[in-house]
Amino acid sequence: MTTSPKADGPRAWLLALAVAVLAAWNVREVVDFDFVAFDDDINIYFNARLGPPNRETLAWMWTDTVQMRRYVPLGWLVFSVGYWFSGLSPEGYHTLGVVFHALNAMLVCVVLMRVLARYASHVEPTWRNGVAAAMALLWAWHPMRAETVGWCSGLLYGLSGSFALASVLTYLRAVGSEQRGRWVGATLLLFILSLLTYPLGLGLVGVFVAIDIAEWWRRSGQAGPESSIPWRRWAVEKIVLVIPAVVCAALVWMAATNAHGMWTRPATVADGQAWSRGLRGVAAAGYFLWRPLWPTHLSPSFTEFLRVGPSVIGSWLALAGVAVGLALARPTWRVIGAALLVAYLALLAPLLGWTERFYHPSDRYSYFAMMVLLAAGALGLALIPKRARVVAFATALVLAGIWSVMQRGQLKIWRDTDTLMQRLVETAKADGVRASHHWWWVEYHLRGGRLERAREVLTQAQRYEAPAVLERAATALREAEANPADRRAPRFAKAHQTWAMDFAREGRPIEAEEHFRAARRTAPHFRETAFNLALFLQHQGRVVEAVELYSFHIARAPAEEISNDARKFLLTRLAATFRASGETRWAVAVERERERIK
């Protein structure tokens, strides 16, 4: 069988590595970002089941169908690895996010190199690889990537994307290979791993079909027996690849119907408005055609799709324009365009809100779809006349530079919960939606014991006409202000302390300490947490740390927060531990402190 020209020599790999470095450099500041109360709470820092990889957490990962509306065992594993690095501090998760972003930028570059090597093989390798690198930079530096990189929960997109891109690479290797079965098997394995991380790539089978369409077009121009098409084998392969997608879709549906808390049950045909949801999904497919070309006023919650307006109508027209353009194109371009459209629609299909009651086409949904658009751009740029190459390449690099600046600006909204909520409020198009975001924002500060900040947010919300929501927030604020105990012991801190003590009883000290520390960060003046943390440290044999905690946070605590009897009990435990370890001087000092307490 024929093979494509080599796409990946040492220079090509160095070029792809340079793309990865540039991608990471542009988003390096996210390592200092905080968690945000936008799924990070559910997935990570208020997930009482999360911990470093061990028997208990691994068992939970593979059986959970209620924590999230998806079945994501490998997704939980990547969060668990982040926990291993930094516990309940965000640095480790953000660092992993930067690493996956850089890795995927490199993989996009390599995929484009191999696509061009096979389907634009008559073009010089230097030009082909330069075009692939420029298109990969456009993807990596695009402002719509900010959501998946600046957000700890975006790790799901990063790891799932890595497996998905690797599966496309192996399928491209299968095309024209004498060991096609082996490469298709590798594709199947990587596809399954991507789905088990996050079902972002449910439509990848459409990409494999698109590659087959492109291969049929390429072979149809060849003469001789090598141009025959093994349709039966291709069909069997697609059936095998569809099976894990169907199983994953069933697991996603089960998780979506079982998820608790803030999650709503998915809509069904019996709920009505199926036709409306279908039209909205078609509009969303058109939206991701034009939106990447005009990436301004981006938002994780683009609310204009809650009604028929200019964005929805324009998106319908964009998709119709592509269909008309394909119909009028030359036969050669029609086949390639049809293959790209199949890949684009297949990748977007699971993300178009067919079962969502309230649908928001978030920036992150363009993660794979934009790769297809850039593949189309790469083919077009690779085939332009030589006299126009310099201008076209320079234009692509200038656009990439502009997008890199815009991306850094977009990243800033993910710095912390306040900046994100401010963006959600500013970009919401309806007063009711704004008020809902404000209520969420007020509740976040109330649960953290930041009553003054909660009042500032509530005052800002008064301009919107949603009295029921705002009165609910105002009532919650008044109740918190009237209860001094809530100021000392916010609900977030109490929750972390409860989980810490549960983990301690279960013999899981790493998780216990992380939740104790999280409670301390949430409410530094919550003396009860300091007391229980000191007892925990004493039980772990870390008595010097426990003494320091007592000296700085417990010794002078008011009696209504930490009683004298409790202080004596703690000091007695500390002194006994010092004596048992032969630290007599420390034991005597602690006993003297205990005797001074009345």
Side-chain angles (χ1 to χ4, degrees):
M1 300 181 71
T2 59
T3 58
S4 62
K6 290 292 288 182
D8 47 359
R11 291 183 180 179
W13 280 105
L14 285 175
L15 190 58
L17 181 61
V19 169
V21 171
L22 290 171
W25 179 257
N26 207 57
V27 299
R28 63 193 183 279
E29 64 181 301
V30 305
V31 175
D32 298 323
F33 285 9
D34 199 356
F35 291 122
V36 293
F38 191 80
D39 289 0
D40 284 352
D41 47 356
I42 299 168
N43 295 334
I44 304 173
Y45 67 87
F46 285 136
N47 184 350
R49 294 183 174 273
L50 186 64
N54 55 43
R55 184 171 58 186
E56 292 82 3
T57 54
L58 289 172
W60 164 72
M61 291 171 194
W62 288 95
T63 57
D64 174 69
T65 58
V66 297
Q67 183 73 19
M68 190 192 295
R69 293 186 300 170
R70 307 286 185 265
Y71 181 69
V72 291
L74 295 185
W76 292 129
L77 181 60
V78 74
F79 287 140
S80 181
V81 171
Y83 196 109
W84 194 10
F85 281 116
S86 65
L88 293 177
S89 297
E91 293 87 356
Y93 305 92
H94 281 306
T95 300
L96 284 174
V98 172
V99 169
F100 283 127
H101 179 61
L103 174 61
N104 290 349
M106 183 174 71
L107 289 173
V108 169
C109 185
V110 175
V111 167
L112 292 178
M113 285 178 178
R114 292 191 176 172
V115 167
L116 294 179
R118 190 158 192 88
Y119 304 112
S121 57
H122 61 285
V123 178
E124 308 92 302
T126 301
W127 175 246
R128 291 197 316 254
N129 292 341
V131 167
M135 294 297 109
L137 271 182
L138 283 171
W139 179 84
W141 284 352
H142 196 277
M144 294 177 91
R145 300 292 82 73
E147 184 168 339
T148 51
V149 183
W151 183 34
C152 288
S153 293
L155 273 175
L156 296 172
Y157 282 70
L159 182 57
S160 177
S162 296
F163 286 132
L165 286 165
S167 74
V168 174
L169 279 175
T170 55
Y171 197 79
L172 286 168
R173 289 294 297 268
V175 172
S177 172
E178 294 181 356
Q179 298 180 327
R180 181 179 176 97
R182 180 180 299 178
W183 286 111
V184 171
T187 298
L188 176 64
L189 175 61
L190 290 165
F191 180 38
I192 292 172
L193 292 176
S194 176
L195 295 179
L196 290 176
T197 302
Y198 194 72
L200 177 65
L202 273 172
L204 270 173
V205 176
V207 176
F208 306 141
V209 170
I211 293 173
D212 288 344
I213 293 173
E215 185 63 11
W216 164 76
W217 164 77
R218 194 184 71 86
R219 291 192 187 189
S220 65
Q222 296 178 344
E226 289 184 342
S227 63
S228 61
I229 307 297
W231 293 111
R232 181 176 297 177
R233 180 174 184 176
W234 286 7
V236 171
E237 290 173 354
K238 300 309 162 296
I239 292 172
V240 171
L241 289 166
V242 161
I243 291 173
V246 172
V247 173
C248 180
L251 290 171
V252 167
W253 182 263
M254 180 175 66
T257 54
N258 290 341
H260 57 72
M262 62 174 286
W263 307 116
T264 58
R265 294 176 63 85
T268 64
V269 175
D271 296 325
Q273 298 186 338
W275 178 249
S276 175
R277 291 196 298 273
L279 289 176
R280 184 185 62 194
V282 172
Y287 171 81
F288 289 110
L289 280 173
W290 66 265
R291 189 59 166 171
L293 300 175
W294 193 258
T296 60
H297 304 291
L298 299 177
S299 173
S301 180
F302 191 71
T303 57
E304 287 191 4
F305 270 59
L306 297 179
R307 59 182 177 82
V308 176
S311 292
V312 173
I313 294 173
S315 298
W316 284 333
L317 293 176
L319 196 59
V322 169
V324 172
L326 284 178
L328 299 178
R330 290 184 300 174
T332 298
W333 288 106
R334 190 180 304 158
V335 172
I336 294 298
L340 290 167
L341 186 60
V342 166
Y344 172 82
L345 293 176
L347 288 171
L348 271 182
L351 305 170
L352 299 181
W354 310 113
T355 62
E356 299 288 336
R357 300 176 188 274
F358 303 99
Y359 176 70
H360 310 291
S362 301
D363 301 346
R364 60 188 181 275
Y365 295 168
S366 69
Y367 201 81
F368 284 158
M370 190 175 170
M371 296 178 191
V372 178
L373 301 181
L374 290 173
L379 284 168
L381 189 58
L383 298 174
I384 64 172
K386 290 185 177 181
R387 62 179 179 275
R389 285 182 178 179
V390 173
V391 174
F393 192 75
T395 301
L397 290 182
V398 168
L399 182 59
I402 293 171
W403 282 355
S404 75
V405 175
M406 296 175 68
Q407 183 186 76
R408 289 197 296 272
Q410 186 69 15
L411 280 172
K412 295 184 187 302
I413 74 169
W414 292 94
R415 181 170 294 279
D416 54 40
T417 297
D418 277 327
T419 56
L420 176 61
M421 292 298 177
Q422 186 65 52
R423 183 68 166 193
L424 289 172
V425 168
E426 290 172 352
T427 54
K429 300 298 181 181
D431 280 353
V433 175
R434 289 193 189 98
S436 296
H437 287 321
H438 266 117
W439 160 243
W440 190 4
W441 195 357
V442 170
E443 182 75 0
Y444 165 75
H445 284 297
L446 285 178
R447 292 185 178 185
R450 297 175 291 274
L451 305 190
E452 293 76 12
R453 183 62 182 137
R455 178 166 292 283
E456 291 176 7
V457 173
L458 183 60
T459 301
Q460 179 183 341
Q462 300 297 332
R463 73 189 74 169
Y464 306 119
E465 295 182 5
V469 174
L470 296 181
E471 181 56 33
R472 179 184 174 193
T475 300
L477 178 59
R478 286 194 297 269
E479 290 175 353
E481 290 176 332
N483 187 355
D486 283 349
R487 295 193 178 196
R488 292 197 307 269
R491 281 169 283 178
F492 284 166
K494 285 182 176 179
H496 279 302
Q497 178 177 256
T498 299
W499 294 328
M501 297 173 74
D502 288 342
F503 280 126
R505 284 190 288 268
E506 293 171 10
R508 297 168 65 178
I510 295 175
E511 293 95 323
E513 183 170 354
E514 284 300 326
H515 282 286
F516 273 129
R517 302 291 184 190
R520 296 281 298 139
R521 287 194 297 271
T522 302
H525 302 296
F526 185 21
R527 314 284 185 168
E528 184 180 318
T529 298
F531 177 81
N532 286 313
L533 176 56
L535 282 175
F536 169 79
L537 293 172
Q538 177 270 326
H539 186 264
Q540 296 296 310
R542 297 157 60 184
V543 282
V544 174
E545 295 177 59
V547 169
E548 292 175 351
L549 195 61
Y550 175 86
S551 301
F552 289 105
H553 300 285
I554 301 173
R556 296 176 178 81
E560 62 269 18
E561 296 183 33
I562 304 293
S563 69
N564 288 339
D565 289 341
R567 273 187 276 245
K568 289 179 179 179
F569 172 77
L570 173 60
L571 291 171
T572 299
R573 296 279 297 270
L574 293 174
T577 305
F578 277 126
R579 288 197 177 278
S581 61
E583 299 284 348
T584 306
R585 293 179 59 187
W586 277 96
V588 170
V590 171
E591 288 168 350
R592 287 176 179 172
E593 172 65 20
R594 182 187 59 193
E595 291 169 1
R596 283 197 291 267
I597 299 175
K598 297 180 181 180

